[in-house]
């Protein structure tokens, strides 16, 4: 499920090499009482880290990693000129929104921060299209040949997990799906091992969070 901010206050940090740009962004933050500024030396405490760059490329992703290596770190990029980074890699690194500087506004900036805080994201249409093409390619070239979906779970694993979630005993699952009970156990073991899940309950929880059951 999307990550949620547990308080009404959104903690935002700004990383902007240009002092004038940084001052402008901070003035926008201070105009919204629901947002609290986090100093640059305490980035790990921020719910969202805003980063400004002229051009987004592979070095930008390295910069984000150096700023905050928390697995759940969330970034909003304000990009000045162009985008040359891998969109999928950027999302994986924690980028949840991209704002172009030439179409930037205070209202859009604040709205984007609250969207991220609520567990959402905001990418320009061109980047959304690129991301969708990357997902389609990964599904077609990498996952489909292995019988997997984008969630990392195969259709038959989904069927088994759905029945487990409904409280169905393994023997009954085997009957319903025309498998042996041993096969059902093998299917469960396979998905747990591949995705590093601790037990059946953990596997069901993962499938629910992924939105596939």
């Amino acid at each position: 499920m999307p990550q949620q901010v547990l308080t009404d206050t959104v903690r935002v940090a700004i990383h902007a090499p240009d002092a004038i740009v940084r001052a402008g962004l901070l003035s926008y933050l201070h105009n919204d009482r629901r947002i609290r500024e986090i100093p640059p030396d305490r980035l790990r405490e921020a719910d969202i880290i805003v980063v400004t760059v002229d051009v987004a490329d592979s070095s930008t992703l390295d910069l984000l990693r150096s700023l905050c290596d928390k697995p759940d770190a969330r970034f909003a990029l304000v990009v000045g000129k162009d985008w040359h980074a891998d969109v999928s890699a950027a999302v994986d690194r924690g980028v949840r929104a991209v704002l172009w500087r030439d179409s930037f506004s205070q209202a859009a900036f604040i709205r984007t921060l609250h969207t991220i805080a609520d567990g959402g994201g905001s990418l320009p249409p061109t980047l959304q299209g690129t991301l969708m093409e990357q997902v389609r390619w990964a599904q077609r070239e990498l996952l489909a040949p292995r019988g997997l979906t984008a969630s990392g779970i195969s259709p038959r694993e989904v069927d088994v997990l759905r029945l487990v979630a409904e409280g169905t005993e393994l023997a009954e699952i085997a009957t319903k799906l025309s498998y042996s009970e041993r096969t059902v156990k093998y299917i469960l073991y396979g998905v747990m091992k591949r995705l590093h899940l601790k037990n059946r309950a953990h596997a069901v929880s993962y499938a629910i969070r992924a939105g596939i059951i």
Side-chain angles (χ1 to χ4, degrees):
M1 294 178 63
Q3 182 180 2
Q4 300 289 331
V5 173
L6 300 180
T7 67
D8 292 332
T9 301
V10 183
R11 298 167 298 178
V12 178
I14 304 289
H15 175 83
D18 187 303
I20 295 177
V21 172
R22 174 176 168 77
L25 294 177
L26 286 176
S27 70
Y28 292 163
L29 298 186
H30 297 161
N31 285 333
D32 190 316
R33 291 186 296 176
R34 298 168 296 173
I35 295 176
R36 178 163 65 91
E37 177 200 351
I38 297 296
D41 59 346
R42 292 162 50 194
L43 291 181
R44 292 180 65 86
E45 299 176 21
D47 298 311
I48 305 165
I49 302 172
V50 178
V51 180
T52 66
V53 295
D54 284 335
V55 176
D57 54 22
S58 59
S59 66
T60 303
L61 304 188
D62 294 334
L63 170 64
L64 301 184
R65 187 176 294 105
S66 68
L67 290 175
C68 184
D69 59 357
K70 289 171 50 180
D72 58 348
R74 293 180 291 178
F75 298 93
L77 294 186
V78 180
V79 181
K81 297 177 181 177
D82 209 348
W83 182 280
H84 298 297
D86 182 308
V87 182
S88 181
V91 172
D92 187 56
R93 181 80 286 279
V95 174
R96 294 294 174 264
V98 174
L99 294 162
W100 300 125
R101 193 176 299 173
D102 61 3
S103 58
F104 190 89
S105 71
Q106 177 177 345
F109 180 51
I110 297 301
R111 183 170 59 250
T112 297
L113 293 178
H114 285 293
T115 295
I116 298 173
D118 289 337
S122 178
L123 296 177
T126 53
L127 297 187
Q128 290 182 35
T130 300
L131 180 60
M132 291 175 65
E133 286 302 315
Q134 290 179 333
V135 170
R136 287 181 59 191
W137 180 88
Q139 173 65 38
R140 182 178 65 250
E141 303 295 333
L142 302 178
L143 298 176
R146 300 172 59 192
L148 299 176
T149 64
S151 66
I153 300 179
S154 70
R156 74 172 188 168
E157 289 169 343
V158 171
D159 291 338
V160 170
L161 288 172
R162 182 179 293 111
L163 290 170
V164 172
E166 294 172 358
T168 310
E169 297 293 335
L170 295 188
E172 188 177 353
I173 293 175
T175 300
K176 286 186 176 184
L177 299 180
S178 300
Y179 296 148
S180 68
E181 188 171 345
R182 181 178 180 180
T183 297
V184 173
K185 291 179 180 179
Y186 176 80
I187 291 171
L188 287 170
Y189 174 77
V191 69
M192 288 187 292
K193 181 179 180 181
R194 188 175 65 254
L195 299 176
H196 307 291
L197 304 172
K198 298 176 182 178
N199 48 43
R200 295 174 193 171
H202 193 191
V204 168
S205 175
Y206 173 91
I208 292 173
R209 291 197 307 272
I212 59 177
I213 66 172

